[in-house]
Amino acid sequence: MFLALRELAFARTRFGLMGAVIALISVLMVLLSGLSSGLVVDGVSGLLRSPIQGVAFEDGTKTDSAFTRSVVTTADRDAWADRDDVADAELLGTAIVNAKNDDGTPVDLTLFGVERGGFVEPATGEGRALAGEGEVVLSVSAQDEGVQLGDVLTIDRVGTELEVVGFTQDQRTFGHVDTGFLDLRTWQEIHSATPPGQEADAEAYDSASVVALRGVDGLPDLEAGGAATGTDARTIEEAFDSSPGYEAEIMTMDLIKGFLYAISALVVGAFFTLWTVQRTRELAVMRAMGASTPFLLRDGFAQAAILLVGSIAVGLAVGLGLGSLLLGTGMPFELETGPIAVGGVLLLVLGLVGALVATARIARVDPVTALGENR
């Protein structure tokens, strides 16, 4: 450690530049983690923040955009409800629509048709819960679009009017669109394009998009239940992939972060490789004076660890500061401790791996080099 600290102080400019690079990579990691978490919240928070544990789709429905393609019936719901490991099974309808406010302002919505009083219906933070047909509870984020309590939203092409009676306690979005929770019967009429004041076909009132599930004691046996009911059941996390664009967005962000981690390891490894080559003669002198190879390896590795820990800590602090400025700006950005902590640990571990590979050259340093044999 003595040698490591002396070299850090002596070559502070070199190590300072290297530390700045690592810190900048850490800042980028924090921002990417925040953007990735923000995309998840903005894309599927309508499901993420619900008590739903599993979702049953129509059998054979493709994974992508399955919520808008699937059609299940009350018979499917009843079949799930009869299972011993299922506490609640409710029909849930989903549809992305365009609407207009009282003043003609366009409002994009994902309508969730829910059974009133059921476990899927969210608690309201402002206003009241659904009391009848023709009412809607919106995500609190819809207030940013100018929607207020008492406003009447008119669904395009159908003409159905929905009165805003409440807002959820937190953001509820689906496919990056604010979610509106309404009575299932109203949703069925909108989905079947039934004009206002008219009755839909009996088949329309018997169907929805999926069956929302909650188990008696944890997650129900979805595989067995799906086989018994003839549906395709998935956990709520697996169902996220069926949200529009979710899988492509997350895969893109994961790929970018993967390259970032690889670049970090390569940069650290390259720096310590060059540093080891430049001080080969000094290391040879120490070997000739009796310093053991394990001692030099530990010293070089400790040097890398000190640099990485300090630089990553500074980078995380700066990244969190910059990230806090992005909150509430409209950008899908969320600071979550878990992903950021995991990212910081990965940067440290991969950086140490790169440094370990580089400092392994110390073991091949020949003490004879100290006598100038290479000249």
Side-chain angles (χ1 to χ4, degrees):
M1 286 294 293
F2 175 75
L3 178 61
L5 293 175
R6 285 292 300 272
E7 288 183 336
L8 285 171
F10 176 76
R12 53 185 175 275
T13 301
R14 296 181 187 179
F15 284 104
L17 290 174
M18 183 59 196
V21 172
I22 298 173
L24 288 174
I25 292 175
S26 301
V27 171
L28 184 57
M29 182 276 298
V30 173
L31 297 180
L32 287 175
S33 295
L35 182 58
S36 181
S37 299
L39 287 173
V40 171
V41 171
D42 203 53
V44 295
S45 59
L47 299 174
L48 180 66
R49 293 170 174 169
S50 74
I52 301 174
Q53 295 179 328
V55 176
F57 296 90
E58 179 185 9
D59 190 31
T61 304
K62 293 183 178 180
T63 301
D64 57 317
S65 300
F67 280 96
T68 55
R69 294 175 176 175
S70 171
V71 178
V72 295
T73 65
T74 54
D76 296 322
R77 177 200 61 192
D78 295 340
W80 275 102
D82 290 340
R83 293 187 57 80
D84 295 335
D85 58 347
V86 175
D88 298 289
E90 297 179 5
L91 289 178
L92 172 64
T94 63
I96 299 178
V97 300
N98 298 318
K100 290 183 179 179
N101 205 346
D102 295 324
D103 56 4
T105 303
V107 180
D108 296 327
L109 290 175
T110 296
L111 297 181
F112 275 14
V114 299
E115 299 181 18
R116 272 183 290 151
F119 80 100
V120 180
E121 184 180 358
T124 55
E126 183 179 350
R128 60 173 175 82
L130 297 172
E133 299 178 24
E135 297 179 347
V136 64
V137 173
L138 298 180
S139 167
V140 67
S141 54
Q143 293 178 326
D144 298 334
E145 304 298 326
V147 182
Q148 300 177 354
L149 286 177
D151 286 356
V152 176
L153 305 179
T154 303
I155 306 300
D156 287 351
R157 294 192 301 274
V158 180
T160 303
E161 296 184 344
L162 300 174
E163 180 186 359
V164 179
V165 298
F167 292 98
T168 58
Q169 296 176 344
D170 47 18
Q171 180 181 352
R172 300 292 182 97
T173 49
F174 184 83
H176 305 291
V177 178
D178 290 323
T179 300
F181 297 85
L182 70 163
D183 181 74
L184 180 62
R185 183 180 177 88
T186 305
W187 178 90
Q188 290 166 333
E189 292 173 350
I190 294 174
H191 190 252
S192 61
T194 302
Q198 298 185 17
E199 289 284 324
D201 295 336
E203 184 179 351
Y205 294 120
D206 186 55
S207 62
S209 301
V210 297
V211 180
L213 305 170
R214 184 166 62 175
V216 174
D217 186 15
L219 184 69
D221 190 342
L222 299 179
E223 184 176 355
T229 59
T231 57
D232 180 8
R234 309 167 193 170
T235 64
I236 189 63
E237 291 79 12
E238 293 171 342
F240 290 165
D241 291 341
S242 300
S243 171
Y246 176 84
E247 186 176 8
E249 292 172 351
I250 298 305
M251 287 180 63
T252 300
M253 295 305 300
D254 288 343
L255 182 62
I256 294 174
K257 287 191 290 185
F259 274 109
L260 181 66
Y261 296 137
I263 290 170
S264 174
L266 288 173
V267 167
V268 173
F271 173 80
F272 280 99
T273 297
L274 293 175
W275 178 245
T276 302
V277 171
Q278 288 176 354
R279 62 192 184 112
T280 299
R281 289 186 57 80
E282 288 80 2
L283 294 171
V285 170
M286 295 187 66
R287 288 289 304 276
M289 293 174 63
S292 65
T293 298
F295 170 81
L296 295 177
L297 287 173
R298 286 196 303 270
D299 194 81
F301 191 71
Q303 194 175 73
I306 293 171
L307 177 66
L308 284 167
V309 171
S311 301
I312 291 174
V314 171
L316 290 180
V318 174
L320 290 172
L322 291 176
S324 63
L325 298 177
L326 297 177
L327 296 175
T329 60
M331 180 184 296
F333 191 88
E334 291 285 334
L335 290 176
E336 296 184 354
T337 304
I340 293 175
V342 171
V345 171
L346 281 174
L347 285 178
L348 177 61
V349 171
L350 293 175
L352 289 175
V353 170
L356 182 62
V357 173
T359 54
R361 294 175 58 91
I362 295 174
R364 299 195 297 271
V365 174
D366 189 351
V368 179
T369 305
L371 301 177
E373 183 191 62
N374 60 330
R375 294 184 178 178

